[in-house]
Amino acid sequence: MISSLIVGHGISAVFYFIAAVMAVMALVMALFGESTKGVSLEAANEAPSETSLPAVC
């Protein structure tokens, strides 16, 4: 996809595409990511809490 953007629209299109994808990823993490504000690294790295979704096998 990147190579077709370069060929068809130039390097600036690749920059805008990557920036848009990163913005969408940041928005998804802000909306659906686990809140770690005020939590130590050790506590954030522990096993998932009871409120998290179960693993799908």
Side-chain angles (χ1 to χ4, degrees):
M1 185 164 199
I2 299 293
S3 61
S4 64
L5 277 174
I6 289 175
V7 170
H9 302 285
I11 195 73
S12 61
V14 173
F15 172 78
Y16 291 124
F17 172 75
I18 292 174
V21 169
M22 292 178 82
V24 168
M25 290 183 348
L27 181 63
V28 167
M29 288 303 297
L31 293 175
F32 302 110
E34 185 175 339
S35 178
T36 57
K37 185 175 183 179
V39 178
S40 69
L41 289 175
E42 291 81 11
N45 198 26
E46 288 179 1
S49 63
E50 294 177 10
T51 60
S52 64
L53 296 175
V56 177
C57 295

